[in-house]
Amino acid sequence: MPKVVDREARRDRVAEAIHRIAAREGLEGVSVRVVAAEAGLSVGAVQREFATKDELLHFALRASVEEVSARFGRFRVGPVALTVAEGLRQVLLDLLPTDERRRAQTRIWAAFYARAAVDPVFAGVLAELDAQARGHLRVALEYARDQGELAPGQEPEAAAELLMVLMDGLWLTCARLPEGADLSPQRAAVESAVRLVTA
């Protein structure tokens, strides 16, 4: 059992190290040697888990996907939970870089998106996340339609696609913002999107 715990702890340290490096320097700054130094591990300890830079990056991408998915999973809509409008608003606002962790994630995701344009493995991981997010949005919007919460003229599938585009746009826009930037325009965009798709 201790070996399993040690391995998981080591992998967590590696993931955190990759995120810090990528947030500071982009994916170009990630290497086995640099990650080992950042994580406080030996190069050999990192290489036993990840033989190449690509393996490190794929692992970091999946860890980031899991973290964001877990955050989104906290928001529930339904009769004894949030309205669809409230749920959408909270999910979208949660993407904004309001703290150091979220600022780092926007920059990391922008770098991953750029890598996905030329790397089919990265593209596949992002496609999995997109399919999952699109499916959750469609279910929520179908529920909104059934409850009379979907705006007139909106179709769940098209509205889900609109929100996917908005989420991508928010993250890519926020990745370029300096620390401490005023996020009022992005919050206003979220409010506008929520009003557009919900009654």
Side-chain angles (χ1 to χ4, degrees):
M1 181 63 84
K3 288 186 177 178
V4 174
V5 173
D6 289 347
R7 183 182 182 210
E8 288 306 311
R10 185 167 59 242
R11 288 169 72 87
D12 289 344
R13 286 169 66 181
V14 166
E16 289 300 315
I18 295 169
H19 279 74
R20 289 194 300 272
I21 295 162
R24 288 195 312 262
E25 307 168 33
L27 296 184
E28 297 76 18
V30 175
S31 71
V32 171
R33 186 171 301 280
V34 171
V35 168
E38 181 80 20
L41 298 167
S42 70
V43 171
V46 175
Q47 285 179 322
R48 279 194 291 277
E49 297 285 339
F50 311 101
T52 66
K53 174 177 176 173
D54 274 357
E55 286 183 17
L56 279 170
L57 295 176
H58 295 157
F59 167 69
L61 177 55
R62 288 198 175 275
S64 185
V65 165
E66 288 171 9
E67 181 179 333
V68 173
S69 296
R71 285 211 321 260
F72 285 177
R74 295 196 315 262
F75 304 118
R76 302 284 184 198
V77 300
V80 294
L82 302 171
T83 66
V84 173
E86 290 166 344
L88 288 175
R89 182 178 293 108
Q90 289 194 26
V91 165
L92 295 171
L93 290 175
D94 190 69
L95 293 172
L96 298 182
T98 53
D99 57 30
E100 184 177 342
R101 182 71 176 182
R102 285 170 175 77
R103 276 195 303 276
Q105 283 182 326
T106 60
R107 294 172 185 155
I108 290 163
W109 275 75
F112 281 143
Y113 268 70
R115 185 68 182 263
V118 295
D119 185 320
V121 176
F122 275 72
V125 175
L126 291 178
E128 284 177 29
L129 177 64
D130 281 354
Q132 184 183 62
R134 189 176 285 110
H136 289 316
L137 285 170
R138 194 162 47 242
V139 168
L141 292 165
E142 286 169 353
Y143 172 81
R145 179 195 57 202
D146 296 343
Q147 298 299 310
E149 292 186 57
L150 193 65
Q154 291 286 355
E155 290 296 329
E157 191 164 343
E161 197 61 34
L162 173 66
L163 293 169
M164 291 292 296
V165 170
L166 174 67
M167 288 192 288
D168 281 349
L170 275 176
W171 269 27
L172 293 175
T173 297
C174 289
R176 303 193 304 269
L177 296 177
E179 185 174 343
D182 179 17
L183 298 175
S184 298
Q186 288 73 37
R187 288 191 176 93
V190 166
E191 292 298 331
S192 181
V194 171
R195 286 196 301 269
L196 183 64
V197 301
T198 58

